[in-house]
Amino acid sequence: MWEARPLDEDVFLEPARPRFEARARRRIELQPFFAVRNVEVSGRIEDAEGKGVAGAKVSIWLAPDETPPSGGVSPPAPVETDAEGRYRFERVRPDLRWRLGVRASGFSYRVGPPFRVGRGQRTEVPALMLVRGWRLEARIWRGGGVPVAGVLVRAVPAARPDAMDPQARGAMVEAISGPDGVAILDDLPPEDVRVHAGGGAWLALDDVVAWPRTGEVRVWNGILSVAPRLQG
């Protein structure tokens, strides 16, 4: 089997027809290809005051309603914003709808709206604003008020808890309780969250914690119970 590959890594080959025709035992008519050049995608990440957010990690993936092209497509690796909050992806496949996910310290995770990348030299994405997250202090106890260490505590947006949702998956925050039984979950999104704790030797806890609109810290107490042992 033969495969046609471009010599320029900024170019990919798009078949003009879905298949080739074999017209003779030793003669194969190859399908024609269109050479399409990948494009640059750039934009800016800013805070609520319009200031650029430096050091933000920006990821890009196909929009959920976009059909992957034949043969699939690999999104570029994540990039970080510069001192002015700007980012740049050098090679993005055009004629597709993409989406950005942004994570930065002190801010809640943000997923931007889908945008289409056209054929050309460069696509500028509208600025994406980040908002400050809030902190949840989860205190994990067992009977008698004894703190429990080593318990995984996970929080996801209560309105969209499905881990298959890119926005919920990216907004998931996890922490493990320390010797004092406390797990700190930072940069939670500005909405109610569903908290899950326990598992293994403990019965799992599942609760909804309200977003503290007037403050940045909320305390949640989780009292664990020992999971019953199954007798064979």
Side-chain angles (χ1 to χ4, degrees):
M1 178 179 294
W2 294 87
E3 181 180 3
R5 293 184 179 181
L7 297 178
D8 188 341
E9 62 180 1
D10 285 336
V11 174
F12 66 91
L13 299 179
E14 183 177 88
R17 292 183 300 181
R19 59 184 179 180
F20 63 84
E21 298 176 2
R23 296 192 173 182
R25 177 176 297 181
R26 294 185 179 180
R27 179 184 176 186
I28 297 178
E29 181 181 343
L30 296 176
Q31 60 182 359
F33 289 89
F34 293 126
V36 181
R37 182 172 296 277
N38 291 324
V39 300
E40 177 183 304
V41 171
S42 59
R44 187 170 186 265
I45 307 300
E46 59 187 29
D47 61 16
E49 298 177 352
K51 298 179 181 179
V53 178
K57 182 179 179 181
V58 185
S59 302
I60 186 171
W61 64 85
L62 284 180
D65 59 350
E66 181 63 78
T67 301
S70 177
V73 58
S74 298
V79 298
E80 287 192 359
T81 55
D82 60 17
E84 298 180 352
R86 292 199 60 82
Y87 63 88
R88 182 180 67 175
F89 294 97
E90 295 184 349
R91 300 182 182 92
V92 179
R93 185 159 176 171
D95 297 333
L96 296 171
R97 283 164 54 83
W98 296 86
R99 207 171 187 187
L100 298 177
V102 185
R103 185 179 297 282
S105 178
F107 297 89
S108 62
Y109 182 78
R110 174 72 193 277
V111 172
F115 61 92
R116 186 171 185 81
V117 175
R119 300 190 184 189
Q121 297 297 319
R122 183 168 175 268
T123 295
E124 179 72 13
V125 181
L128 194 61
M129 186 184 74
L130 301 183
V131 296
R132 294 288 177 180
W134 56 282
R135 168 178 287 189
L136 174 65
E137 181 178 310
R139 300 176 180 176
I140 309 301
W141 315 89
R142 61 183 175 88
V146 179
V148 181
V151 176
L152 176 64
V153 183
R154 177 184 296 121
V156 297
R160 38 190 167 85
D162 186 357
M164 297 305 294
D165 177 0
Q167 192 166 359
R169 184 173 65 249
M172 180 186 298
V173 179
E174 298 178 335
I176 296 178
S177 60
D180 57 356
V182 176
I184 301 296
L185 293 86
D186 280 320
D187 301 337
L188 293 172
E191 57 185 295
D192 298 349
V193 296
R194 180 171 294 278
V195 178
H196 177 89
W202 305 98
L203 289 175
L205 299 176
D206 192 78
D207 193 12
V208 174
V209 179
W211 167 33
R213 299 174 183 271
T214 58
E216 295 183 353
V217 180
R218 183 174 291 279
V219 176
W220 176 76
N221 290 284
I223 302 177
L224 297 175
S225 300
V226 177
R229 295 183 178 180
L230 298 177
Q231 298 181 356

